[in-house]
Amino acid sequence: MRIEKCWFCSSTIYPGHGIQFVRNDAKIFRFCRSKCHKNFKMKRNPRKVKWTKAYRRLHGKDMTQDSTFEFERKRNRPERYDRNLTENTLKAIKTIDKVRSKREAKHIETRKKGKKAQLMREAVKELEQSINLVKAPGAFKEDNSLTLPKIKVKVSQTQAENQPMEE
Amino acid sequence: MVQYNFKNITVVPNGKDFIDIILSRTQRQTPTVVHKGYAISRLRQFYMRKVKYTQTNYYDKLSTIIDEFPRLDDIHPFYGDLLHVLYNKDHYKLALGQINTARNLISKIAKDYVRLLKYGDSLYRCKCLKVAALGRMCTVIKRVAPSLAYLEQIRQHMARLPSIDPNTRTILICGYPNVGKSSFINKITRADVDVQPYAFTTKSLFVGHTDYKYLRYQVIDTPGILDRPFEDRNIIEMCSITALAHLRAAVLFFLDISGSCGYTIAQQAALFHSIKSLFMNKPLTIVCNKTDLQPLEGLSEEDMKLVMEMKAEAMKTVIGQGGEPTDDQGVLLTMSTLTEDGVIAVKNAACERLLDQRVEIKMKSKKINDCLNRFHVAIPKPRDQKERPPCIPQAVLEAKAKQAAEKEKRKTEKDLENENGGAGVYSASLKKNYILANDEWKEDVLPEILDGHNVYDFIDPDILQRLEELEQEEGLRQAEEVDDDFEMDGKELTPEEQQALAEIRKKKSLLIQQHRIKKSTAESRPIVPRKFDKDKQFTTRRMGRQLSALGLDPSKAIDRARSRSRGRKRERSPDNDGGDTMDMDVDTPNKRLRMRSRSRSRSVSRPPGEVVPGEGFKDSAQKVKAQKLAKKSSKKRNKDARRGEADRVIPTLKPKHLFSGKRSSGKTDRR
């Protein structure tokens, strides 16, 4: 009994589930459920279908390269049974799983956190470069910081004099 | 071969059927229509044909019968005798003879009547002749009908005779009734002969086939023979006698030493001696059957003597063949068909002796030379006198001996299976013979799937080491993470800076928007010179605002702008420039005031709507109206920045509601 991977969405197929399709060139396609099977029949490319693992890996949403992936490899030559080895393997599988899931979570976290530092740097740079759009170079003489100039409210004398005249 | 396959004889029809067949055939196969107006030769020919046709048919059919039935002299004497025994040679010959005569008679009849028909002069006469001819032929057959019936019966019986090949290797079983002959044949062949407690269960010969040394042997079971003078024997016994007489076979004389067949050993011995003449030149074996009831050793003195006598007789046959006189192994044998004890031994012995005899005879005959000429056994020429016997190393011999012993001692899987309940109950342990580092692990059950992974994919001899490496890596990584987190709290912008940044971005986006609008409407929008500034963008107030927003003092700029745009001498009323006004000249505020005060007292010019009498206006209202009209007519057309009258602006070239949307039903060919 083997657990296979769905060709379309890369989820695990337990024994007794799903459909296998064998093409004329003897390539076997395994599907975990009819959703994947039907998508395949519609000739959709899993790399373009958002919810598949292939898409997520391709677009960097999920971790692609890691040393934990190398532990699991399909071996074609059978090994002679060794109880100690098997015991160790079973325990190892659990730890490897834990490590891998932690790393994946970290990857996603870093992705979601955003580029705070980078944005900060960009903001600072923009501020320095384009401050002349909102502050004239003349205003720098009084106030040397990268902030908006204080708008002077000019009380014009002529108006004050005009008022009584035009009454 | 007619010789021993009587199954291919065609069916002999009975008299009536025979006549019907022939006559109907004549009716069908010859022309049926004739009129008396035909030419006489035609009529004659018509009827002659019918007569001849009937005759030929009879002739053919009777000939087939005569040919297909075997002639007793031409076939193997065994079959001849057998048929004689069964059907009586004389009767048989008579029947066939009658058929023959019938055939000849019919031919004669036909000949005569054809001759008469040649001279028939009318249709009626010819017809009568034909009728007579046919009638006589049929009568002949009617008279012969009993023979036909008899022949048919014989044919049926002959077809069911066992197909015994008189020339091949045969084993014959004979003896008193009920001694166990049929049981024996049932045991060694696939024949299924009736075995019953009463005598004469077997009433005719039965054939079975068995194999020995890759050769096929016929085994013939005969009906029991009683000890009677030859003339008194009935048909059934005669069958076996015939077989004994004519077939060159190995004979197994069965002896019932327990006497449960109803006859004593003495009687059986008597029978033996009376038919021993039939055993001439045949390898004879005495078989003592039913040893489960009475072992050979337990026989009484007289019986033992009788048996020994028989054995001595049998030995003679061995000697007669030139075999070793001391070889008495194959002469007297004991067995029990019930317990199957010794059955195979008997068969083998009989087959062996027969084979030897046949081979000997063949070697002596002339024909063998033809075969021998084709064989040549090549023997390497000895180069010296040294003896070179085959050399088998001692170890091999020992191993062979050990293997033989082991084979008997070893318990096979099949035995194990049978012990533990048979095929359906016990399933063999496949793990028994596993070769593992530690034998305790043989019965371990290895999980194949764990947590959604295949365990086999992970098994690796160095997995511990790699796991360690992984854990180290993980430790390092975690340390790094902690460092990273500290770094993240770096600088932040102050709120004023953030505000400035927001402003910058807003301004930038405004610029971009404007540029985009300009770009998109570039073709349909001519560049409006500043003179026709209808949006009133270019005012000093605005400039002043913008400059102060940037942080500069705009007063000087405004002054300069104003001093350029206005002529000094020109004075305008304060309300003339609509909207936002050009501010009063800062330099001469007093002058303005003075001017105003003076203007009221003296008019320098007429007010615009004042009517001058010579102009032809009724009153000032009319004049004002006329002035307005005049102005209107000479107004410059507001082109609104359009290229021409037809220059219409399409605000959205592709409005979504015209270019998209599904129909609830129907097609989207047109919109």
Side-chain angles (χ1 to χ4, degrees), chain B residues 60-218:
Chain B
D60 289 337
K61 280 215 169 297
L62 293 170
S63 305
T64 48
I65 293 172
I66 294 168
D67 291 335
E68 283 191 352
F69 273 87
R71 253 180 262 188
L72 295 181
D73 306 321
D74 289 344
I75 54 180
H76 193 274
F78 165 64
Y79 276 104
D81 254 0
L82 191 64
L83 291 177
H84 171 56
V85 163
L86 292 168
Y87 316 126
N88 199 348
K89 194 159 49 174
D90 302 326
H91 285 163
Y92 180 78
K93 277 192 180 169
L94 260 171
L96 282 177
Q98 279 191 353
I99 303 285
N100 198 17
T101 7
R103 187 176 64 172
N104 294 338
L105 280 174
I106 288 173
S107 304
K108 251 199 233 147
I109 292 167
K111 222 189 312 184
D112 290 339
Y113 274 88
V114 161
R115 218 180 293 137
L116 284 174
L117 267 168
K118 267 200 264 188
Y119 301 108
D121 43 5
S122 73
L123 176 95
Y124 180 70
R125 187 124 345 143
C126 290
K127 187 171 180 186
C128 287
L129 283 170
K130 171 213 129 199
V131 167
L134 258 51
R136 279 181 70 172
M137 287 192 237
C138 295
T139 327
V140 167
I141 297 294
K142 240 194 303 192
R143 272 206 325 256
V144 151
S147 297
L148 288 170
Y150 176 73
L151 282 171
E152 172 60 19
Q153 292 233 332
I154 287 183
R155 184 198 72 86
Q156 284 179 1
H157 197 275
M158 276 209 288
R160 292 201 192 101
L161 283 178
S163 51
I164 300 173
D165 185 358
N167 293 329
T168 181
R169 302 160 284 273
T170 324
I171 296 177
L172 210 51
I173 311 176
C174 60
Y176 251 87
N178 255 0
V179 296
K181 304 189 287 296
S182 303
S183 324
F184 179 69
I185 194 175
N186 280 344
K187 284 279 179 293
I188 55 171
T189 69
R190 282 201 65 179
D192 205 6
V193 187
D194 249 359
V195 176
Q196 297 284 352
Y198 60 86
F200 290 105
T201 318
T202 315
K203 290 186 259 292
S204 63
L205 301 172
F206 284 95
V207 190
H209 295 271
T210 178
D211 296 315
Y212 178 74
K213 281 191 181 168
Y214 309 110
L215 292 170
R216 263 274 136 108
Y217 284 77
Q218 281 179 135

Side-chain angles (χ1 to χ4, degrees), chain B residues 331-492:
Chain B
V331 184
L332 181 68
L333 296 164
T334 59
M335 72 166 194
S336 168
T337 47
L338 195 68
T339 59
E340 296 191 40
D341 180 32
V343 171
I344 305 291
V346 168
K347 173 193 123 181
N348 289 347
C351 293
E352 189 69 43
R353 287 187 58 192
L354 181 65
L355 196 60
D356 290 338
Q357 191 209 30
R358 282 174 74 96
V359 165
E360 252 193 75
I361 290 175
K362 277 213 175 108
M363 296 294 279
K364 285 191 198 146
S365 77
K366 287 194 199 148
K367 274 208 271 182
I368 197 71
N369 289 330
D370 299 334
C371 293
L372 278 177
N373 285 341
R374 295 198 213 132
F375 296 132
H376 170 66
V377 180
I379 300 171
K381 212 167 63 170
R383 63 168 181 206
D384 55 21
Q385 298 299 330
K386 203 164 167 197
E387 274 263 327
R388 290 187 179 85
C391 166
I392 304 173
Q394 194 60 26
V396 172
L397 284 169
E398 280 173 13
K400 265 201 168 170
K402 206 168 67 160
Q403 208 184 45
E406 216 183 64
K407 239 187 178 177
E408 288 163 21
K409 278 189 287 174
R410 191 179 73 143
K411 195 176 198 187
T412 58
E413 284 290 339
K414 194 93 180 141
D415 293 334
L416 203 57
E417 188 185 68
N418 287 334
E419 273 174 31
N420 290 348
V425 178
Y426 170 83
S427 62
S429 160
L430 299 167
K431 301 186 177 185
K432 216 168 51 167
N433 294 330
Y434 277 7
I435 305 167
L436 294 174
N438 185 345
D439 278 342
E440 288 174 355
W441 300 343
K442 274 190 193 170
E443 298 297 323
D444 270 2
V445 175
L446 169 64
E448 296 173 33
I449 295 171
L450 178 69
D451 286 349
H453 299 287
N454 291 309
V455 174
Y456 288 136
D457 292 346
F458 279 85
I459 290 183
D460 193 1
D462 333 314
I463 195 159
L464 276 179
Q465 186 200 11
R466 290 171 70 190
L467 193 63
E468 263 184 53
E469 285 172 20
L470 181 72
E471 303 212 321
Q472 277 176 9
E473 225 185 282
E474 195 59 20
L476 285 172
R477 196 179 265 243
Q478 283 193 348
E480 272 176 19
E481 265 179 39
V482 178
D483 292 338
D484 269 343
D485 282 336
F486 279 148
E487 269 181 32
M488 286 313 278
D489 317 320
K491 37 182 175 163
E492 290 218 358

Side-chain angles (χ1 to χ4, degrees), chain B residues 149-318:
Chain B
Y150 176 73
L151 282 171
E152 172 60 19
Q153 292 233 332
I154 287 183
R155 184 198 72 86
Q156 284 179 1
H157 197 275
M158 276 209 288
R160 292 201 192 101
L161 283 178
S163 51
I164 300 173
D165 185 358
N167 293 329
T168 181
R169 302 160 284 273
T170 324
I171 296 177
L172 210 51
I173 311 176
C174 60
Y176 251 87
N178 255 0
V179 296
K181 304 189 287 296
S182 303
S183 324
F184 179 69
I185 194 175
N186 280 344
K187 284 279 179 293
I188 55 171
T189 69
R190 282 201 65 179
D192 205 6
V193 187
D194 249 359
V195 176
Q196 297 284 352
Y198 60 86
F200 290 105
T201 318
T202 315
K203 290 186 259 292
S204 63
L205 301 172
F206 284 95
V207 190
H209 295 271
T210 178
D211 296 315
Y212 178 74
K213 281 191 181 168
Y214 309 110
L215 292 170
R216 263 274 136 108
Y217 284 77
Q218 281 179 135
V219 186
I220 301 184
D221 181 25
T222 63
I225 310 170
L226 295 171
D227 190 15
R228 285 204 284 225
F230 189 79
E231 304 71 32
D232 292 347
R233 296 201 185 279
N234 58 27
I235 297 178
I236 303 174
E237 290 170 329
M238 283 309 290
C239 279
S240 18
I241 301 286
T242 319
L244 272 174
H246 291 286
L247 292 175
R248 204 158 40 89
V251 181
L252 292 172
F253 186 84
F254 268 53
L255 204 53
D256 179 1
I257 51 181
S258 72
S260 59
C261 63
Y263 305 97
T264 65
I265 296 186
Q267 288 169 308
Q268 295 179 42
L271 171 68
F272 178 83
H273 289 297
S274 61
I275 59 173
K276 66 185 175 197
S277 54
L278 290 168
F279 301 148
M280 252 336 110
N281 288 338
K282 299 187 174 66
L284 173 65
T285 307
I286 315 279
V287 179
C288 301
N289 199 12
K290 306 195 190 174
T291 49
D292 54 312
L293 296 171
Q294 166 84 16
L296 186 62
E297 292 75 23
L299 276 180
S300 63
E301 274 294 321
E302 303 98 45
D303 294 336
M304 210 53 183
K305 206 164 59 129
L306 289 165
V307 172
M308 285 305 132
E309 268 178 36
M310 286 199 281
K311 182 173 162 188
E313 281 292 333
M315 292 289 283
K316 280 193 210 155
T317 58
V318 176

Side-chain angles (χ1 to χ4, degrees), chain B residues 600-616:
Chain B
R600 287 203 187 151
S601 55
R602 221 194 299 174
S603 64
V604 175
S605 60
R606 289 178 200 278
E610 194 193 294
V611 175
V612 175
E615 278 174 352

